[in-house]
Amino acid sequence: MDLTGFSLIGMTALISLIIGYLFLTRAKVEKSFAAQVIQLKTAAPKKIASDGFTGVQEKYQSSFVAPNAEILIVDDNEINLLTAKKLLQATRVKIDTAASGVICLEKIAQKHYDLIFMEQLMPNLDGIQTLKMARAMNENLCKDTPVIAFTALDAREMLLAHGFTDYLSKPVDMEMMEFMLLTYLPLEKIHSPKVAA
């Protein structure tokens, strides 16, 4: 029997199998990589977008002005604070901000606000703890001020039970935020844009 010829045929078949396997493996790797790239491209905008005020930002137009109203927005996310101030600019509401619960407590000891918006999930003092401390403060100039919680958590009943006046879910719909302003700001401070002009 000619073993050399048999070995040559066997070797050729083996090489063909190896080459086929390599091509198949490469195809799988390329397909997997392409899928990862697509996933990253899709996820990228969500990763860098503000988690606070989205959705109707570009279409939002204020239906009122309140140049004598003063509100405080409490959020540890500076981007959210800047965005909220920019979006509410057309309302002419005087907006103050606090980047933590501690700063919020300092501000309400110095000034009265007509309405307060407060993030629940903050480091050190969260919204519930901040509100509890605020209610107990003798120096608090905002004891009767409505405080609206906003958070990404679905926790409306819990927040209301802890003393918040109302609740806004994140990402904040600016039309809903306007509704809160119209509902809780003193009526005498709300005007039609045409009348105010």
Side-chain angles (χ1 to χ4, degrees), residues 111-131:
K111 185 177 181 179
H112 170 77
Y113 295 97
D114 297 302
L115 185 59
I116 297 172
F117 290 95
M118 189 181 302
E119 166 64 47
Q120 160 56 14
L121 297 177
M122 295 187 291
N124 301 320
L125 287 179
D126 63 20
I128 290 173
Q129 293 169 324
T130 302
L131 182 60

Side-chain angles (χ1 to χ4, degrees), residues 91-120:
T91 66
R92 292 165 57 187
V93 170
K94 294 181 177 71
I95 302 170
D96 205 352
T97 61
S100 71
V102 173
I103 296 173
C104 169
L105 295 175
E106 292 173 356
K107 286 183 177 288
I108 62 174
Q110 299 168 4
K111 185 177 181 179
H112 170 77
Y113 295 97
D114 297 302
L115 185 59
I116 297 172
F117 290 95
M118 189 181 302
E119 166 64 47
Q120 160 56 14

